[in-house]
Amino acid sequence: MMAASLLRRDKKSTAAHLKADLKRTDNSSGLRQLQELLDSVLNPERGSDPEALEWCKWLLAGGEGFDEFCLTVRSYDNATLCGLVWTANFVAYRCRTCGISPCMSLCAECFNNGDHTGHDFNMFRSQAGGACDCGDGNVMRESGFCSRHRLKTGENVPLVPQDLLLMSEMVLPRFIITIIQYLRDGYTEPESAADRDLQKVLQQLEPQISFLEELTKMGGAMRTVLTKILTNQQTFKELSMGQEENVYAKKNYEKYLSALKSSGLVSVEERGTGGAAAGATESPGGALSLLGATAAAVLEDSSKEEDQDGLQGVGQRKRVKLSSSTKDPSIMDTLKHKCFLEELLFWTIKYEFPQKMVTFLLNMLPDQDYKITFTKTFVQHYAFIMKTLMKSHESDTMSNRIVHISVQLFSNEELARHVTEECQLLDIMVTVLLYMMESCLIKSELQDEENNRHVVVNCGEALLKNNTYWPLVSDFINILSHQSVAKRFLEDHSLLLLWMSFVSFFQGMNLNKRELNEHVEFESQTYYAAFAAELEACAQPMWGLLTHCKVKETHEYTKTVVRYCLETLQMWFDAIGFVDEPALNQLTFHLPLHRYYAMFLSKAVKCQGLDLDSLLPDQEMLMKIMVHPLQIQASLSEIHSNMWVRNGLQIKGQAMTYVQSHFCNSMIDPDIYLLQVCASRLDPDYFISSVFERFKVVDLLTMASQHQNAVLDSEQERPMLEGALTFLVLLCSLRIHIGMSDDEILRAEMVSQLCMNDRTHSSLLDLIPENPNPKSGVVPGSCSFEEMLSAVADFKAPVFEPGGSMQQGMYTPKAEVWEKEFDPIMVILRTVYRRDVQSAMDRYAAFLKQSGMHTGNPWPPYKERTPLHPCYRGLVRLLHCKTLHIVIFTLLYKIWMDHQNMSEHVLCMVLYLIELGLDNQVQEDKVEEEPCIEEHCHDSWFPGTSLLSNLHHVINFVRVRVPETAPEVERKRERERERETPPSTSSESSTYGQSSRRLTGNWRENLREAQVFSLVAERRRKFQEIINRSNHEASQAARPKSSSSSRWLPPGSPPQLVTEILEIRESMLSLLVKLHQKLSAKQNSLSLSWLAEVDPAKHSHGDGITAIERILAKAATRSRHSKRCLQDICGKVCPPIPPKKNSPGDKKSMDKEERRQRARERQQKLLAEFASRQKSFMETAMDVESPESDAVMDVGSSEPLDSEVLYDCVICGQSGPSTEDRPTGLVVLLQASSVLGHRCRSDTPKRLPTTDEEQIYPEDTCGATHDVRLSIMQRYFKDSSCLQSVSIGWDGGVYVQTCGHTLHIDCHKSYMESLRNDQVLQGFSVDKGEFTCPLCRQFANSVLPCRPGRGTEAGAWHAPSNKSMATLVKEVEDLQEQLGIFPVESNLSKEMESVIKDIKNTTQKKYMDYGKNPGSPDNDFLFMYSVARTNLELELVHRGGNLCSGGASAAAKRSCLNQLFHVLAMHMRLYSIDSAYNPWTRLTQSTPSREPEFCDEEHPEVPMLFRDVPSLLIIFILTMPHPLRKEHFTCVVKVLYSLQYTQAVVALSIRFSREERRAWSNAGAAKKNTPNSDKSWEALLAHVISELTKAKDVYDTNSEDSSVLSSSVWSPQSIEFSLQKICLPFLRLSCLLQHHLYGDSLPGCPVDEEFSLLAGCLGLLGSGQSAGPLSSAAGLKWNINAFDMISQWCSEVMGLSDTPAQQSVSLLVQDPQWVAPHLLQLPDNYNTIFQYYHRKSCSSCNKTPKDPALCLVCGAFVCLKGHCCKQQGVCECVLHSQHCGAATGIFLLINASVIIIIRGHRFCLWGSVYLDAHGEEDRDLRRGKPLYLCEERYRVLEQQWVSHTFDHINKRWGPHYNGL
């Protein structure tokens, strides 16, 4: 009741009154009143009510306005942190130099106010949202704080007065419980209602939560109050359950409990039995009670619904459930809320993390107490978060929001440690992760498909496919980066075991089975999920742990992990039922347990100095461990040999991902390291034979020329053999984990990437496998990276090719790197695509050729290796085992014998292995001795294991199994037929140092002697041996005799195999020598003398011959014995062979060589010819600008003068004249252009505004000035006369350009038809008439007909005449009187009309209609001559604004102006000029004043002095009949020059001050009477001044400000200079016109002589006048008395009664001086633009655009693709491009730093003019590095804009459909 009365009063006074009551000591009445008021205001049953919010604001303020209250509270802000919270897409900064945690981020304001010069920082777009860490010393170094947070603000802030926040403390708890009650009410379980309702509930709460957010921003004082309320358990108890009588609150509380229940959570009271529960709950873990049932029941419960979701997927395998008795159930399903904060978080999770709530909770974090409580609450809800996340449909957004919170909490080491200790954070995380993965386990099918007991995750599940687990994993990685937390983890063995079992879920996931019959019908893409899961869930936590195992002190940790790895591996082997052979045709790339084991081993040896053997298991376990990694290596080879092709492309994708730079150091590197460890500890013969068996090439390794392979097709044998050998080379020569230091590794990685291709800095950073843990030493971009880069590479600055394709800054290897460090083996290891290896070899070959070291096709160079770490010395034994030597021997023999499936690569790898063996000897201590007597057993090929001694061991006979059809069997049969006994072995062929037993001719003997070899048997025997040795150490098992192993061959495979004996009598050395001969194609390629001067170092680069020489040299220098054998072999081979032995076969091969040589020469010749042709074509056709090459179509200059011009048609190829019936046309591109209109008077380009103060004024541009001029004229003068006194086309003029190629117009029409039918259209529209030139592919859209007849006006037309001026003037007048004759209707005239139509359609209507009555002929007339004017003016601009450079110009070469003039002239002559108004008469005769005529007209004609002289020139020339005699042209120029000169004099006189005018008038009057006074400017100036002084106030208008203008005194020189300057533009234009009409050349000259030169060319000056300083007046030729003429012109001006003087003066002063057009001047640093514009709001809709853009021509700020600013379906950028550039727009996209060009209906991405420090673009600002303006690129852009070549240079155009 009291409340009701309070409610009626106004809020302000009520609040004041209540506050006063509450301040009293006895405040009970005040409290009661407040409670009642709040009960009625905040009645939750009323829903969310804006009125309630108003009340709260007034009450908090307690009587003052809410805004003032905010300010007051802010003044007490004591926060030292920034804590600004942002959401996704916000632009923030990260500085690695200042960050302690890798997640550190700063808001733009704090970043810009801190000093980060020279730091390694970048700008980024936030993915998930974040908060500013400025001021937080736990996350970043204090040196990086900004100026605001550097001061410890807390100290000097006054204490908060007691009563300020009194009301807040009373009111807010009620406000918060209202929100909570509302959330309880609104929540419905997803089953019953659609999820949309949640959004609705949240929308209604929006204002309330925003209000809370506002409060948090008031600063520290208010946050303290909020923290108190949120964490107070008493208040929560009182308000949460509601008082007894309040029914609503009771119901509401029950809703909350049921929500808890339905979440699978139990509040602790219900679980406990009796009072014990209460005691248990108060334990430090809070909710971690250990009572209650096991989790199994809950799991079952949740599994039901999950299974129903899961089994809808087709053919999904049944999930496996584990009974989870291992884990503490309370982690998963107990929650109790004791304060507002906890329940708020609960609802935040229930509602799937609404953005507003998240921001509110994070905004509170700067309060330290809050931070700790909130972190604990978050951890307590962790399991619940995971459950909600798994059920959520919006898991992506939810994940982002979760990480947004957790990254703020866990990046802080202090806090993470605290929670780990207090709340068992690690247990919770590991348990939650396990629980999560358990929801998607399936039975593994690896190895033993039936009885496999192992379970793995199913990669097809949404959980893995959508990466739903990443928030949890990323939190885990985040806390493991803190040393204190990681140590706890490594010390807790039960946790480690749990983690290992988690990792084993991924062991063997995503199993591939090789398809053998048909192609798999559905390619699964699950491998993305599998690789991501292994990298994120297994590898990254592993790298995190490894960083803490770097020092000796931590070696216990390493031992523990290794022990558990081995135990888990053993369990895994048992579970999958693995004995000794892997299952066929199965492949998994995922062995995280192996990799954990490998990486911890590597760290233990490398950093902690542990003994390797102490960490290794027994031999049998090593054999098992080696199987699966080896299987992967063999399968990689199979995949590249197309054996898995039926599994689809995805298997190739897996093979590539496995070696790709982000994965390789967590996958292939540990695998290879593990294999190296196994190889160094296992029996080498066993290892080698396992390798060849896994690679399935055992059957291939036989001396026989034919064999059967049970497992491979013949086309797969070669790639698999190459794979096996390459793998062995890799295994023996890689030193990444077994000898190289980190710097060496970085260097090797960098060199291998640079050798494949030149790289940009960023791609190099991306390609070099960094140590994936962010806190590790080698961070990309750290100093070591930069130093290394400058050591191995040279920077190639970004260059521009004339074609316009822009290069980025690239790094390329230094020469010495190619020479000494190029390592093909490393390249092979790191290439994702096989073609990169080829690319590296090609680049290497190019380098050798260029430096002259080797010209042919080089072989991969052999590189010396870093010495092995002593622990791994055993690896060398691989190279010194008989098995490998037998394989090498067999392969050398096979290559020499040309058996099938051998290749150069095989030989290369075999030689590499031999050389590795020679360089890595096993026993260094033994002096080399004569080899010992060979072993007793007859199946051994070689006496010992040392490669050096085995090299020269000769092998005589070999027993082989061959098919019956093999040539060997044939040979034997022949022998038997001839009853011939085989010759006995002679003594010298048996091994040296061995008593040579003579062999009888008895076959049986030989049989016993012959070598037999079976890899498989050998391997079985070794395996047996090892197993026995480990089982019964004492009894050495007898070594089983290896039989000829027929039992391993498939029985009964046709044809039958028989045993044969081959006579070989070779040693490895002799085979090498023979191969040398074979390669060099010379009989005695190695002479004895060669051995004497060998030096292995000489042979580092070259081909196979060099490689063999290098090996032989090494063998000879390292062993006397080898040297002796070599001398013998060479001696035997060397004696020249007598000629009679020359068999026909040899001759054939010689002929073959010669033939090949000749063919090669022919080919070279053809290629050279082709190249020169191509070059000449390129010069004529393609090159966009190179003045050197001659004009393609030098119209008729070379032909005899009177012949017709012949044109080549580029379509039909015929050559002929252009005729009326079959006209020829030039391929042209018409485009509207406003480039001229954007010219300004000042030299410096306008600056782009980057602050609110700066602006750009468009009024001073050429286009604007001309518009103003025309509109003034139209106000006072007759319209038709105005339209002939100016030119338009400054904005939206039509520019015509050609590539110079011609075609018949009828050919062109059929060409267009064919283009229209061809559906595959490249970026142009045929319907708009667009096409590409058939010859040079330049873009075009029209054809300009060529006029039949002669070329440039020749002969008689050029003859100089000596007619008097008067005669010529009369003749010109007569010519003008001739009426234009309508052309006869012909094909030519039709084409001309259609071209005019094209020209008109090119530009927009508004640029053509300037007249008062649109569509009048005057309008057309103006438009036509303006087209000619625009093209002349643009050519002038392209020539640099003057004609000093002479004739050589790009524009001249391809000019189509001549043709254009003819087309325009034909149309203009249809409008004859009424003779009464013909300006010619007014220029050449003194006409009687026509006053009376004016009376009936409202507007007079435009006075001559106001007219634009160049326009008049073009009008005269185009309206007179063609061809025009040169004398007439010169006459017109002379007459117009005098008008131009008079205008200049008038303009000058207006600039003088009154005194100067008087002085010059007097000085000139004296000269008036002298002869030739009409050629002296003094006289003319005086006359003009006296004439115009008569006029009313022409000179008075600006007298007051003119004194300011002319502060400088005018001297005769400066006047002369100014006059020349004003007349120059007219002279330039006339000269150009003359050049195009008559073909006169334009000689070049220095700038200061331009005037005299042009005047001479135009015939204004006689020939003798060039000496002495030139007076501009000397060129004047007056037809009648000059002074009369000038008086007449002046009187026209003075006759204007109704023109205000101000206007007439502005019309008199024409200033035609325009500077070349420029784009805006951009700031040097891109950040300046970005910071100002990316948050700027759009002028038309006042929202911040999603994609803001800037016009670089005028600086307008526009929305790209913004729907807000659309007009009639056209988006703003397109609209602006039409308005500003006549459909050409150049826009800088603010958020992407790139420039897009809009040209008409097409657009293209041009690239960026801002590059980073390494010369690279950063499109979309992904890397966020600082960008700087690249002047060259900007110049190129500007130049393309000015020269209108966007269409030709940029290739990738697409239609924009008005959507930009």
Side-chain angles (χ1 to χ4, degrees), residues 1090 1093-1101 1106 1110:
W1090 173 81
E1093 70 248 8
V1094 290
D1095 167 21
K1098 266 207 319 238
H1099 299 289
S1100 46
H1101 304 280
T1106 334
R1110 190 171 62 235

Side-chain angles (χ1 to χ4, degrees), residues 278-297:
T281 38
E282 298 310 315
S283 66
L288 294 174
S289 88
L290 296 174
L291 296 166
T294 57

